Amino acid sequence: MRTFLVCLWKMTAFQLCPRGPKKKLLLALLVACALSPVLKYVNVVSNVVSDVISPWRNIAFLEEMPDFGEDTSQTKTTGSKQLCPKKAPNLVGVSSINESLVTLEGLIGKYISSRTGGHFKPPECVSRTKTAVIVAYRNRQRHLVVLLNHLIPFLVRQQADFAIFVVEPLPNVTFNRALLMNIGFVEALKTYNFTCFIFHDVDLLPVTDHNLYRCGATPRHMAVSNSKLDNISFDEYAGGVVAVSRDVYQHVNGHSNLYFGWGGEDDDLLYRLQWKHHPMSRYPPAIGRYIALKHADDKGNPVSDIRLALLETAEKRMAEDGLTSLKYKIIHREYKPFYTWIQVDIDMKYYSSMVSKWQQKQH
Ligand code: BGC
């Protein structure tokens, strides 16, 4: 930059710079240089990261991270491979998120190889975690592609042994995020010995790869800070993205199955974990920062008007409402290159009768 400025000064003052094509080239470079702040601005605006990148850029990491307990599920090496290092060498910290990407082509070739169902393992070492990411999904194709584009390289950089499961109800069924998470948990365990489960909203993207998708001794609320919900007190909030080990999830009987429509199911899980003495841990907000992708109102996911009433009986229901009472029918299971897609039918009558039973008990 300095050389260009000096040259520009010389060019205008003394006409000393190269002539002919070289001069044109130099001039073009000078114009590009002058425009670079503008181009940079346009680029940032076109990315979703515009509101987060700068404030979170210079955060200090792993060495200063709270220790939530190592995932002890994977301590042995196999064959000549060593256990992956505690701090993966390729982490980049904050990375940009490109929402305008609408295909997975960028990932094909780079990550596809022979994997099916999106099960990835680091080739160079034995991963410290066996993580299943469960996404309750409906009708958000673009968000799903943006999430996969972001999350797959992110988890590869973390040297995770992982797979992503996308669980979708039939169109006539009211959305029930928690029930779909339970189904994802059960179905994922049928394919592999996952020890860590990340229950993930489709429209939330982690900003820094220092937010490790691993499970410690205690469950962890991952989406501590969210570009859409800046005012939420994170001590009472367990929504968006949560990491729970297989054993802890089974201990609390998973999520409740009864929250059809929006709201309450994440609060219910938080209570279950508290009652069973699994207090939620959290990264500092600078690490647990997520971008929330924008979307219109979900027609198939109306706000639940019984969620507060359900929360009142949450503790009593815990033993019999959850993994132990799960009922569903698999319609499709497809092992796609980057994720496993599971479409399910849900017997609404079965769950409605449970809701009625608890409502009667309440009166
Ligand atoms: C709902 C939760 C939701 C939170 C933040 C609460 O009232 O019960 O499900 O995550 O608000 O939107």
Side-chain angles (χ1 to χ4, degrees):
M1 180 73 185
R2 200 161 159 256
T3 324
F4 286 138
L5 288 176
V6 170
C7 196
L8 178 67
W9 177 74
K10 281 184 180 173
M11 263 199 299
T12 47
F14 305 107
Q15 301 267 306
L16 285 179
C17 276
R19 296 182 183 278
K22 273 192 186 165
K23 187 171 177 179
K24 279 188 188 147
L25 180 68
L26 194 60
L27 273 172
L29 286 171
L30 282 165
V31 170
C33 200
L35 283 178
S36 69
V38 180
L39 293 174
K40 202 171 167 191
Y41 176 75
V42 171
N43 185 35
V44 168
V45 167
S46 70
N47 287 340
V48 205
V49 276
S50 53
D51 65 329
V52 282
I53 275 295
S54 33
W56 306 101
R57 186 61 88 184
N58 301 314
I59 22 185
F61 292 100
L62 280 167
E63 287 72 20
E64 294 162 41
M65 298 263 283
D67 183 6
F68 297 129
E70 258 306 289
D71 183 344
T72 50
S73 60
Q74 192 67 279
T75 46
K76 291 188 194 121
T77 54
T78 45
S80 57
K81 276 192 195 170
Q82 294 297 308
L83 194 62
C84 295
K86 212 170 172 186
K87 180 177 177 178
N90 295 328
L91 298 184
V92 296
V94 175
S95 62
S96 57
I97 295 160
N98 194 342
E99 209 194 337
S100 58
L101 271 177
V102 284
T103 69
L104 294 175
E105 273 155 20
L107 296 178
I108 292 176
K110 200 166 176 197
Y111 296 107
I112 201 166
S113 72
S114 60
R115 297 168 181 105
T116 53
H119 193 159
F120 293 78
K121 286 182 186 195
E124 63 281 11
C125 54
V126 178
S127 179
R128 288 178 174 262
T129 183
K130 291 177 179 171
T131 297
V133 178
I134 314 288
V135 181
Y137 172 84
R138 170 185 278 164
N139 210 12
R140 298 270 198 96
Q141 176 70 22
R142 197 179 59 82
H143 284 178
L144 183 59
V145 172
V146 173
L147 177 73
L148 294 169
N149 255 315
H150 185 70
L151 213 49
I152 290 170
F154 171 100
L155 290 165
V156 167
R157 289 198 299 276
Q158 293 189 355
Q159 296 181 314
D161 172 353
F162 73 95
I164 299 173
F165 295 83
V166 175
V167 191
E168 179 173 3
L170 282 179
N172 59 326
V173 176
T174 306
F175 197 73
N176 183 327
R177 181 180 178 273
L179 174 52
L180 298 172
M181 295 301 190
N182 279 344
I183 296 172
F185 176 84
V186 170
E187 292 300 318
L189 281 177
K190 287 181 187 168
T191 68
Y192 190 63
N193 184 24
F194 291 106
T195 51
C196 178
F197 288 80
I198 314 274
F199 300 102
H200 212 296
D201 277 2
V202 70
D203 55 1
L204 287 180
L205 307 174
V207 163
T208 164
D209 57 14
H210 293 200
N211 181 349
L212 296 179
Y213 276 36
R214 296 181 192 168
C215 289
T218 59
R220 186 182 314 150
H221 181 223
M222 312 284 271
V224 168
S225 164
N226 165 338
S227 60
K228 208 157 63 180
L229 295 174
D230 272 333
N231 297 325
I232 266 203
S233 151
F234 62 74
D235 279 345
E236 296 145 30
Y237 178 56
V241 185
V242 176
V244 189
S245 73
R246 178 194 56 209
D247 296 349
V248 168
Y249 198 65
Q250 281 166 339
H251 190 215
V252 299
N253 199 15
H255 280 85
S256 160
N257 296 320
L258 304 186
Y259 291 83
F260 285 86
W262 182 91
E265 85 293 341
D266 46 357
D267 307 318
D268 191 298
L269 180 68
L270 181 69
Y271 295 157
R272 286 176 180 225
L273 293 166
Q274 283 170 354
W275 287 318
K276 289 284 187 179
H277 309 292
H278 301 294
M280 203 65 107
S281 61
R282 289 180 177 85
Y283 281 141
I287 295 173
R289 176 76 176 166
Y290 282 73
I291 292 288
L293 299 175
K294 295 192 179 75
H295 62 87
D297 281 351
D298 284 338
K299 290 201 181 80
N301 191 21
V303 174
S304 158
D305 50 14
I306 58 163
R307 66 187 197 284
L308 297 179
L310 278 172
L311 281 173
E312 280 176 32
T313 58
E315 187 170 9
K316 289 185 194 141
R317 287 195 333 271
M318 185 167 28
E320 53 186 276
D321 163 26
L323 293 172
T324 48
S325 59
L326 194 57
K327 199 170 153 186
Y328 59 95
K329 193 171 150 197
I330 302 276
I331 304 296
H332 284 293
R333 187 200 316 263
E334 198 178 325
Y335 296 102
K336 296 185 182 256
F338 297 111
Y339 63 98
T340 299
W341 176 61
I342 301 169
Q343 192 184 40
V344 290
D345 194 9
I346 285 154
D347 182 354
M348 294 287 282
K349 277 194 197 139
Y350 168 74
Y351 292 109
S352 303
S353 69
M354 281 190 192
V355 171
S356 311
K357 185 184 109 181
W358 283 103
Q359 279 176 329
Q360 279 158 18
K361 276 194 185 181
Q362 220 171 346
H363 295 123

